[in-house]
Amino acid sequence: MMMASMVANGNRDGRQGEALVLKGVDPETCMIVFKNHWAQVVKILEKHDPLRSNTSSNMAALGVIGLSSGGPMRFGGPIPGDEASAVQNYVEHILFLLMEEDAGQAGAMGPILEFVVMENVMERLFLWSLRRQFTDDMKLEQLKMYEMIVGQARQPLLHHKPVLRPLMMLLSSCSGTAGPEVEAELVSLLNQLCCVLAKDQSVLELFFHTSEDQGAANFLIFSLLIPFIHREGLVGQQARDALLLIMSLSAENQRVAQHIAENTYFCPVLATGLSGLYSSLPTKLEVPGEEWHCLHREDWLQMPTLVQFLNSLEFCNAVIQVAHPNIRDQLVSYIYNGFLVPVLAPALHKPTLEEVMTTTAYLDLFVRSVSEPVLLQTFLSFILLHPHRHTLPGNVHILDTLVSRIDTPFQLGTVSLALFQTLIGLYCEDVMLQLILRYLIPCNHMMLSQRRVVKERDFYSVSAAKILALTPSCCSPEHSPPPLRQLDSILWSKGTDNSPNTGTMETEETFLEEDGSCYSCVIGSEIYLDVNYLHYLYNARLGISSCTRACQVWSAPYDGEDPPPEEGRQAQTTTDPAPTNQLELEWDDSYDAGPVVSLEAATAESSRPPQLPAAEPPKHIQEMRRTAIMLVKGSYIEESDFQDDVMVYDLVAKKDARDTVTKGSKEVKAHVADHNSNLQSPSAEVGDDLMGQYEELIRTLGSDEAGTGGSSPVKTVDKEFRNPVVTPMEEDEVDFSSFSMDTPELEKPHSSLFGTKLRSGSTRSHSVPFTGPFVSVLLSRLENMLDNSLHVNLLLTGILAQLAAYPQPLLQSFLLNTNMVFQPSVRSLYQVLASLKNQIEQQASTKKDFPKLITSAQHCLLARENSRECSPLEAGRMMKSSPPPQPKTISLARTEVFATVLFTEFLKELAAIAQEHSILSHVPMEE
Amino acid sequence: TYLNDFWEKGRSDGEEQSGEQQQPRASPARPSFGKKQLPSIPKNAVPITKPASPAAMAQLANGTHASYGPFYLEYSLLAEFTLVIKQKLPGIYVQPSYKSALMWFGVIFIRHGLYQDGVFKFTVYIPDNYPDGECPRVVFDIPVFHPLVDPVSGELDVRRAFTKWRRNHNHIWQVLMYARTVFYKINTMEPLNPEAAVLYDKDVQLFKSKVVDSVKLCNSHLFDQPKMDDPYAISFSSWNPAIHDEAKERMFTHKRRPEDHQKGLQVSGLSWVKPGSTQPFSRDDNPPLS
């Protein structure tokens, strides 16, 4: 009795007690007990068996004979309860003895296991459970039984087909229709099996072989896990963990990799699952405040749907990390074609600001969440190169659209800025190339004579001095009262040749007191140094060092010579074959007045060139769409071979239970066998082939069932195969028609809103200097610094500082070299800063209380700064996303005042970066 | 830096000043700023006034803030130092002093010629209005017998090579290069040591023997305590396997290729650009996306 409750409840403590009892019992006694019990079991089994002799036949034979015996069963009626529980009790003892048996010498089977294998004990037990009502409880019991013996047996059991095969049957029969409890147990067992696989790859071969001669799945345990990929909670997590084990297995095992890539829907399910999960994300975020600009951890933890999406994304990331390259490549391809292009691209062009802003914030979060380079590359090439055709003839890349949105006066602008901060922070050559460098490579932006200056280094901090000289007079460090004025002095000592005690050491206080004469060699002791500036230098050093290190993987130095300027010009033409070549991507001002569909856009739409010749989506896309639909409904069924085995077993169980045996069963078996021989064919074919066979199967098997009115699982499944039932999704959710190559209808009327605008004339010849839309948009927003809110300015200056830290001479010289002479039409950072200084001086001279306001703002920002824990990297900057500061005497609405303070700090930041560049970028990397 | 691998620095532990860890120095081995709080100036030091240095004044005149002047000087000298490292001058090693960026310690190894086997320690003094002042001075610890080296002060006549120090054109590595050249190519014009000049021209044998004596003298003082009491002064000690073997080992196994160091670092850049191309994702190993 103890045993009975033990198995039923999966209670392992019960076993411990028994184990003690068993200790010391010699193996022969165990064997005798085992045989006795089994004999009892067999007695009952045979009593209810259609064929009384069959002890050594395998399941397949049993099934065929059993089904083909024809006519009404000679024995019949339900199995009496006392007999069932008697079997139950014996079985538990038997299994227990099996588990406790040690392996024989040199890894041979122990006698009990040998007996189990010879007598086909497990298969017969499984059949027995089928013959009774194969309810969820029964399945649960069987699953737990296997979980226990697999997990706790002292000798490997799975190597033996008579053990493995019934296990596979059980697994098959549990898939699909089971309740949540069975599912949980199933996944748990599958997870356990995967752990066994990961440890002992020799079992893997058996898993495949067993499948083959059973006509079951090539790799059933894998297929069974797929439907749980996107599941929430523990079940999903266990399934994903198990799948990951198989993924890492695939990296070394070509066969596994090939099977997964060619015969399963693993990759499409994963990728389209992202689409499905994405569609349940809120289309509009409720943002906490104007200052908000990106989804932080604490934000998305509050959103279960987003958490679920990120879990799946993280899983994709992990799969890509460990899986075989074939699987990896297939998966990224599906993510690109099944999620990014059909789902995210339209979402980025939704009709309302809030929706677009939300999508942008999601995209930013996704890019930040992905770590595996290949997956990151997939996202980046989507952003950089995916052409979104809508308002304009020619290609407008997602990137162009995103850049143009920086200039929106709304939160969309800030969120877009935050996305670019993320992108620039990746130190990715491709991103920087598309965003800025390709415009700088031709060196058109500078006077011809200046090309040699690009690589020159600023030995004497001339640029830093010029930048700092823009410090507004009202903010000069000497003017600030303590504690804002973090001024201190550094005694500057000079080495002299005749005195050994030259250096004036700050810490040698006693020495200083004693001997005043040493001051003769102190220079500038009264010069106050802005200590705060040291922080900026330190940060600049860190920033530039890590950026320089990161950029070592880049293909070229971008120093004005490599890549050669001429090639850059060519590149510009080849990148943009359309006349959009030099698109001036500027924000349409009419936008401020509200949504206006521009005529220009409308005409562009109507005269849109014909779509690419892809009239029919590629086959894999079609397939994927189908799978996705099923997946979204939570009724994923893989159209792979194992599925019909599940059906067969199910039918066997049902029919057996109802004592009906159909004539066609032999043919069915034949069909299944036939089918197996086709296994090697590509999955697409198998799919079609399968349907035919499948229908035939239904016809032959299900015909007389129709009369009984029983609901066959096959019917249900069949219905789902042919008419995927999907509840209509809400309007603004992703509809799967977007899987087609066409742009969804919905987008068309609105898309111009967020599009790009051609400047009249529409083309710029190469000779007209242009530093690119991104730089142009950034600088134009910076120009409005005095009107920008604090957080916008923090983002803007943050991004510019990020860019300035890049070591590429082209970028460095453009942003930081104040001696560089640019073409008259090119606006430089320095020019913008100088004009800002003038504006500030003007404000300061006209407003009496300006200095006071500055002081309050400084206090306010200092308090804000102190209220947060600063990581060393952030130490010098007043950083983003802190709670809104408590203004003491000044309202944040005085943007010009805050901007002035920030401007001053930004100058220091830039100057520090320029100074560090002058030494760091030229030192060979060592240590 | 590799300099530190070459010599055991003349760092005497008793003088380790913890407070100075925060001060920016012209040393390449500058520790991180840490909490970046400078030690405050001693109270009694404040009242002492001295007119601002010409350098600071000049920068003020340029319209920049005096507060930053020292930073510009510091970084200019750091830039000079990185240039010196880059030049990899044969047989010359320098190290800025701990106390001032304006004073560098150096040593020069003469590998052939009249002064072969000479090991001469020297100090470079850089004017505080650098780069707008005179050229830096080079003073040998022990006056080497040489026509251009002052027999009393040990100062090398550098100015003849750099009559006017021009910013952006003249660099400190050139001075060091010059200091090396004088030992290989003797010039007797307008000597600081007339005796040496005359001997070289009139009695080269005697000159040679005097040089040999001078080299011997210098080398005999090699293991002396550094002339300057500075943690970064260059000091020599005789070979001590306990200390030097390991350092030598490290020098020879030192990986020059930065990639080897960066493995496993979290921060790493990305690139899918094919070398020679300016197209994003042009590399061949990109997985196909469609």
Side-chain angles (χ1 to χ4, degrees):
Chain A
M1 279 339 274
M2 191 187 196
M3 291 290 295
S5 64
M6 182 266 286
V7 172
N9 307 327
N11 180 356
R12 265 135 219 185
D13 296 337
R15 232 193 91 238
Q16 298 301 324
E18 195 77 14
L20 285 173
V21 176
L22 266 188
K23 220 164 243 171
V25 179
D26 68 299
E28 277 156 44
T29 314
C30 288
M31 188 66 199
I32 291 166
V33 173
F34 184 94
K35 281 184 171 164
N36 270 335
H37 286 343
W38 178 242
Q40 299 300 318
V41 171
V42 169
K43 220 182 260 174
I44 302 173
L45 255 55
E46 289 190 344
K47 185 173 160 195
H48 297 278
D49 196 316
L51 301 165
R52 284 167 201 271
S53 64
N54 245 333
T55 47
S56 63
S57 70
N58 67 18
M59 175 61 190
L62 250 184
V64 172
I65 297 165
L67 288 167
S68 64
S69 57
M73 293 272 192
R74 279 162 291 169
F75 48 88
I79 293 154
D82 58 334
E83 284 182 328
S85 66
V87 170
Q88 176 87 1
N89 282 341
Y90 287 128
V91 164
E92 281 156 10
H93 277 93
I94 284 171
L95 293 180
F96 182 65
L97 290 165
L98 173 61
M99 253 159 42
E100 291 296 318
E101 186 186 57
D102 288 308
Q105 283 190 341
M109 282 187 268
I112 293 181
L113 177 57
E114 199 172 349
F115 186 84
V116 166
V117 168
M118 291 301 291
E119 292 294 309
N120 234 341
V121 169
M122 300 311 286
E123 245 176 41
R124 296 182 70 186
L125 288 176
F126 177 67
L127 269 184
W128 167 252
S129 69
L130 281 186
R131 213 146 262 138
R132 297 162 61 208
Q133 290 291 327
F134 199 52
T135 58
D136 274 8
D137 282 346
M138 191 73 74
K139 291 177 189 170
L140 211 54
E141 197 175 89
Q142 292 260 320
L143 288 170
K144 282 183 173 163
M145 181 180 91
Y146 274 102
E147 191 179 5
M148 193 172 71
I149 62 168
V150 169
Q152 310 199 18
R154 295 177 184 179
Q155 49 189 333
L157 300 180
L158 296 175
H159 286 96
H160 308 291
K161 279 196 180 179
V163 177
L164 188 58
R165 218 160 31 213
L167 168 62
M168 297 308 247
M169 295 174 198
L170 171 67
L171 293 175
S172 309
S173 64
C174 287
S175 76
T177 51
E181 267 186 75
V182 176
E183 280 187 343
E185 194 53 42
L186 173 67
V187 170
S188 170
L189 177 57
L190 289 170
N191 186 301
Q192 197 182 23
L193 292 174
C194 290
C195 292
V196 173
L197 268 187
K199 280 188 211 126
D200 182 3
Q201 285 202 34
S202 62
V203 186
L204 184 68
E205 283 302 304
L206 293 166
F207 272 91
F208 271 106
H209 285 305
T210 311
S211 305
E212 273 169 21
D213 56 22
Q214 266 316 302
N218 273 312
F219 215 11
L220 179 65
I221 55 170
F222 179 79
S223 304
L224 285 174
L225 282 165
I226 293 181
F228 300 95
I229 288 178
H230 300 289
R231 202 55 80 78
E232 274 176 289
L234 184 67
V235 172
Q237 198 52 53
Q238 267 189 329
R240 289 190 289 268
D241 290 347
L243 283 166
L244 272 186
L245 287 172
I246 297 179
M247 285 304 130
S248 22
L249 210 62
S250 79
E252 294 148 27
N253 190 312
Q254 177 67 33
R255 186 168 168 202
V256 172
Q258 198 178 345
H259 172 71
I260 292 170
E262 291 173 13
N263 301 325
T264 76
Y265 287 100
F266 177 68
C267 292
V269 165
L270 250 188
T272 51
L274 288 180
S275 297
L277 293 172
Y278 185 87
S279 71
S280 55
L281 297 182
T283 49
K284 292 175 187 176
L285 286 174
E286 283 174 30
V287 297
E290 197 215 349
E291 207 174 334
W292 181 90
H293 57 265
C294 78
L295 281 162
H296 290 287
R297 195 180 155 75
E298 55 271 24
D299 295 329
W300 58 258
L301 279 178
Q302 308 293 317
M303 302 168 58
T305 51
L306 193 48
V307 171
Q308 214 189 335
F309 182 92
L310 290 176
N311 279 342
S312 288
L313 185 62
E314 192 192 339
F315 181 63
C316 290
N317 194 65
V319 168
I320 289 167
Q321 194 166 26
V322 298
H324 189 275
N326 290 355
I327 298 174
R328 187 193 68 196
D329 292 351
Q330 198 185 39
L331 180 56
V332 294
S333 168
Y334 275 113
I335 289 175
Y336 191 87
N337 294 301
F339 169 58
L340 294 175
V341 171
V343 176
L344 209 54
L348 279 169
H349 296 84
K350 288 256 180 175
T352 70
L353 268 177
E354 289 89 348
E355 286 171 300
V356 168
M357 184 203 77
T358 301
T359 313
T360 309
Y362 287 150
L363 178 59
D364 174 54
L365 176 63
F366 300 161
V367 172
R368 279 186 284 127
S369 309
V370 163
S371 66
E372 195 51 29
V374 180
L375 186 53
L376 205 48
Q377 189 221 6
T378 310
F379 272 85
L380 292 178
S381 63
F382 166 70
I383 295 172
L384 300 188
L385 297 182
H386 178 64
H388 196 79
R389 297 173 295 274
H390 52 146
T391 57
L392 292 167
N395 290 344
V396 175
H397 298 147
I398 299 277
L399 183 73
D400 303 324
T401 314
L402 294 174
V403 166
S404 74
R405 286 178 185 160
I406 291 175
D407 219 7
T408 46
F410 307 103
Q411 208 150 6
L412 174 60
T414 344
V415 172
S416 301
L417 275 176
L419 171 62
F420 279 102
Q421 193 170 42
T422 300
L423 291 177
I424 294 167
L426 294 174
Y427 304 127
C428 173
E429 181 175 10
D430 309 64
V431 169
M432 293 301 287
L433 188 59
Q434 285 302 87
L435 217 46
I436 304 176
L437 288 171
R438 66 174 171 144
Y439 301 98
L440 300 182
I441 291 170
C443 291
N444 285 335
H445 59 290
M446 62 185 83
M447 294 296 190
L448 199 61
S449 62
Q450 296 293 299
R451 293 219 183 146
R452 55 178 180 79
V453 184
V454 170
K455 279 169 84 174
E456 269 177 17
R457 86 154 120 173
D458 182 8
F459 275 105
Y460 311 112
S461 301
V462 175
S463 293
K466 262 184 110 173
I467 291 169
L468 284 169
L470 295 177
T471 306
S473 50
C474 55
C475 291
S476 110
E478 290 88 348
H479 289 175
S480 319
L484 296 171
R485 187 183 67 179
Q486 294 188 327
L487 294 183
D488 216 325
S489 57
I490 295 172
L491 293 182
W492 216 255
S493 62
K494 173 176 78 163
T496 48
D497 45 341
N498 46 8
S499 156
N501 291 324
T502 340
T504 315
M505 312 303 295
E506 293 78 11
T507 46
E508 287 175 16
E509 221 166 303
T510 49
F511 168 71
L512 290 170
E513 279 169 325
E514 280 163 20
D515 184 6
S517 67
C518 68
Y519 289 110
S520 58
C521 60
V522 175
I523 60 158
S525 63
E526 68 289 351
I527 295 176
Y528 284 114
L529 291 166
D530 190 350
V531 173
N532 175 334
Y533 188 64
L534 284 178
H535 297 224
Y536 284 114
L537 286 169
Y538 180 65
N539 284 350
R541 189 182 189 82
L542 289 182
I544 295 170
S545 310
S546 53
C547 189
T548 308
R549 256 200 314 271
C551 292
Q552 282 174 338
V553 300
W554 284 26
S555 74
Y558 298 94
D559 55 3
E561 289 169 18
D562 180 15
E566 300 72 32
E567 210 166 282
R569 259 162 258 162
Q570 265 179 352
Q572 279 195 347
T573 39
T574 48
T575 316
D576 306 309
T580 52
N581 183 6
Q582 296 285 341
L583 261 189
E584 175 89 346
L585 299 165
E586 278 174 13
W587 184 251
D588 185 347
D589 286 343
S590 66
Y591 175 70
D592 293 21
V596 176
V597 180
S598 74
L599 260 182
E600 185 189 6
T603 48
E605 190 62 37
S606 58
S607 64
R608 195 152 49 113
Q611 297 286 328
L612 291 173
E616 189 173 294
K619 196 142 196 172
H620 66 277
I621 298 282
Q622 292 179 25
E623 276 170 19
M624 205 167 60
R625 195 187 315 161
R626 207 168 26 174
T627 325
I629 291 166
M630 295 188 285
L631 179 86
V632 167
K633 277 305 292 165
S635 59
Y636 168 82
I637 286 152
E638 191 173 300
E639 296 163 79
S640 81
D641 339 38
F642 86 89
Q643 198 59 44
D644 47 11
D645 288 294
V646 176
M647 309 302 163
V648 172
Y649 290 130
D650 257 334
L651 281 174
V652 169
K654 292 261 156 168
K655 300 220 171 251
D656 228 15
R658 277 196 306 274
D659 304 325
T660 50
V661 178
T662 60
K663 287 185 175 176
S665 51
K666 247 179 192 161
E667 292 154 53
V668 171
K669 196 64 220 172
H671 268 301
V672 174
D674 257 13
H675 187 63
N676 287 334
S677 60
N678 291 337
L679 278 180
Q680 308 314 321
S681 61
S683 57
E685 278 175 44
V686 170
D688 290 339
D689 186 36
L690 176 74
M691 291 312 288
Q693 291 196 24
Y694 202 66
E695 271 162 33
E696 200 174 342
L697 184 89
I698 306 299
R699 220 178 38 242
T700 52
L701 265 183
S703 54
D704 59 353
E705 197 185 28
T708 63
S711 66
S712 153
V714 176
K715 291 248 156 139
T716 334
V717 172
D718 177 50
K719 213 184 274 171
E720 276 177 16
F721 266 102
R722 281 184 290 210
N723 311 308
V725 188
V726 182
T727 41
M729 276 176 281
E730 285 171 48
E731 282 273 10
D732 47 6
E733 281 182 354
V734 180
D735 68 330
F736 284 93
S737 69
S738 59
F739 276 106
S740 69
M741 300 303 266
D742 294 299
T743 316
E745 286 293 315
L746 232 177
E747 308 301 329
K748 289 173 185 170
H750 307 283
S751 42
S752 67
L753 279 185
F754 309 106
T756 52
K757 190 181 132 207
L758 270 185
R759 201 174 237 195
S760 53
S762 81
T763 47
R764 279 164 169 271
S765 93
H766 309 305
S767 54
V768 178
F770 182 51
T771 52
F774 183 64
V775 166
S776 150
V777 161
L778 274 189
L779 291 183
S780 80
R781 284 219 80 167
L782 187 69
E783 213 158 36
N784 293 323
M785 196 175 179
L786 297 189
D787 301 320
N788 291 341
S789 64
L790 176 64
H791 63 277
V792 168
N793 283 336
L794 284 170
L795 269 173
L796 266 179
T797 54
I799 289 176
L800 282 163
Q802 238 181 333
L803 290 176
Y806 271 85
Q808 286 70 27
L810 274 179
L811 202 50
Q812 230 188 89
S813 64
F814 174 64
L815 290 173
L816 293 174
N817 191 339
T818 55
N819 291 332
M820 195 94 169
V821 187
F822 298 112
Q823 295 287 353
S825 63
V826 167
R827 194 164 38 164
S828 71
L829 176 58
Y830 182 74
Q831 277 172 1
V832 173
L833 295 174
S835 101
L836 279 169
K837 177 199 160 68
N838 287 337
Q839 291 174 44
I840 291 168
E841 297 290 3
Q842 213 171 357
Q843 296 251 9
S845 65
T846 53
K847 288 178 185 161
K848 247 189 184 172
D849 57 347
F850 205 69
K852 257 190 197 166
L853 289 172
I854 293 285
T855 312
S856 321
Q858 283 171 326
H859 273 293
C860 177
L861 289 172
L862 198 66
R864 172 198 169 102
E865 179 82 344
N866 291 338
S867 71
R868 23 179 301 135
E869 290 215 325
C870 292
S871 74
L873 254 174
E874 295 168 337
R877 286 190 58 77
M878 297 165 214
M879 288 288 295
K880 304 97 210 191
S881 75
S882 58
Q886 296 300 315
K888 279 174 189 158
T889 53
I890 179 166
S891 145
L892 274 173
R894 301 300 298 266
T895 54
E896 80 284 4
V897 178
F898 281 97
T900 301
V901 177
L902 202 59
F903 175 75
T904 310
E905 296 300 310
F906 183 46
L907 293 179
K908 286 188 225 169
E909 190 173 19
L910 285 177
I913 293 170
Q915 284 205 285
E916 285 292 343
H917 269 311
S918 74
I919 55 169
L920 280 180
S921 305
H922 300 269
V923 182
M925 294 288 287
E926 276 181 273
E927 289 189 277
Chain B
T1 70
Y2 68 84
L3 275 175
N4 294 348
D5 292 335
F6 276 82
W7 297 288
E8 197 193 348
K9 283 183 302 240
R11 179 197 299 266
S12 44
D13 288 330
E15 287 183 23
E16 278 288 58
Q17 289 107 348
S18 57
E20 287 182 350
Q21 292 298 315
Q22 278 105 31
Q23 195 204 357
R25 283 184 315 263
S27 156
R30 178 165 67 178
S32 67
F33 288 116
K35 194 52 198 156
K36 291 176 283 180
Q37 200 59 49
L38 285 184
S40 58
I41 189 166
K43 285 188 189 93
N44 60 342
V46 179
I48 296 170
T49 52
K50 191 181 175 293
S53 75
M57 294 299 269
Q59 273 148 349
L60 273 172
N62 281 347
T64 58
H65 288 271
S67 323
Y68 302 107
F71 289 110
Y72 305 147
L73 178 59
E74 176 97 3
Y75 274 75
S76 302
L77 294 168
L78 271 173
E80 286 291 352
F81 184 71
T82 60
L83 256 194
V84 170
I85 292 177
K86 233 180 170 177
Q87 297 300 322
K88 296 191 168 66
L89 301 171
I92 299 181
Y93 304 95
V94 284
Q95 165 109 314
S97 78
Y98 184 88
K99 292 169 183 170
S100 168
L102 295 167
M103 180 167 72
W104 296 7
F105 303 116
V107 66
I108 183 167
F109 294 82
I110 305 299
R111 286 159 183 171
H112 51 88
L114 291 171
Y115 289 86
Q116 183 167 357
D117 297 332
V119 181
F120 309 125
K121 290 204 267 185
F122 61 89
T123 310
V124 180
Y125 298 96
I126 300 152
D128 57 23
N129 55 351
Y130 177 87
D132 299 315
E134 312 254 281
C135 71
R137 293 161 57 214
V138 174
V139 180
F140 289 100
D141 284 14
I142 298 164
V144 197
F145 184 73
H146 189 284
L148 302 187
V149 177
D150 187 304
V152 179
S153 69
E155 178 159 0
L156 173 71
D157 186 1
V158 177
R159 207 167 302 173
R160 69 170 60 213
F162 303 90
T163 43
K164 187 177 181 333
W165 188 262
R166 294 185 302 155
R167 53 155 56 205
N168 279 319
H169 285 89
N170 291 133
H171 294 292
I172 293 175
W173 70 266
Q174 296 163 336
V175 174
L176 299 176
M177 193 65 173
Y178 171 75
R180 178 180 179 273
T181 315
V182 298
F183 292 105
Y184 293 104
K185 210 178 150 203
I186 312 292
N187 184 349
T188 53
M189 298 284 284
E190 297 175 51
L192 290 185
N193 185 344
E195 186 203 351
V198 169
L199 275 186
Y200 182 78
D201 290 336
K202 301 275 154 73
D203 186 352
V204 89
Q205 283 314 314
L206 188 55
F207 177 83
K208 276 182 183 170
S209 75
K210 285 239 174 195
V211 165
V212 169
D213 291 346
S214 179
V215 165
K216 270 184 190 156
L217 180 75
C218 288
N219 291 2
S220 72
H221 287 286
L222 205 56
F223 298 119
D224 289 2
Q225 280 299 304
K227 209 172 120 196
M228 221 68 76
D229 179 24
D230 186 288
Y232 285 0
I234 295 169
S235 82
F236 284 78
S237 62
S238 48
W239 189 264
N240 178 352
I243 301 168
H244 298 112
D245 275 354
E246 193 204 333
K248 185 180 169 190
E249 175 81 6
R250 262 190 290 133
M251 271 172 62
F252 281 100
T253 56
H254 182 62
K255 300 256 191 309
R256 283 280 166 156
R257 298 257 55 82
E259 300 89 275
D260 300 333
H261 288 289
Q262 308 313 328
K263 286 266 164 63
L265 265 186
Q266 279 212 317
V267 184
S268 82
L270 299 165
S271 171
W272 293 277
V273 181
K274 188 179 176 178
S277 166
T278 52
Q279 298 298 315
F281 306 110
S282 45
R283 238 167 51 187
D284 304 328
D285 58 348
N286 291 326
L289 289 179
S290 48

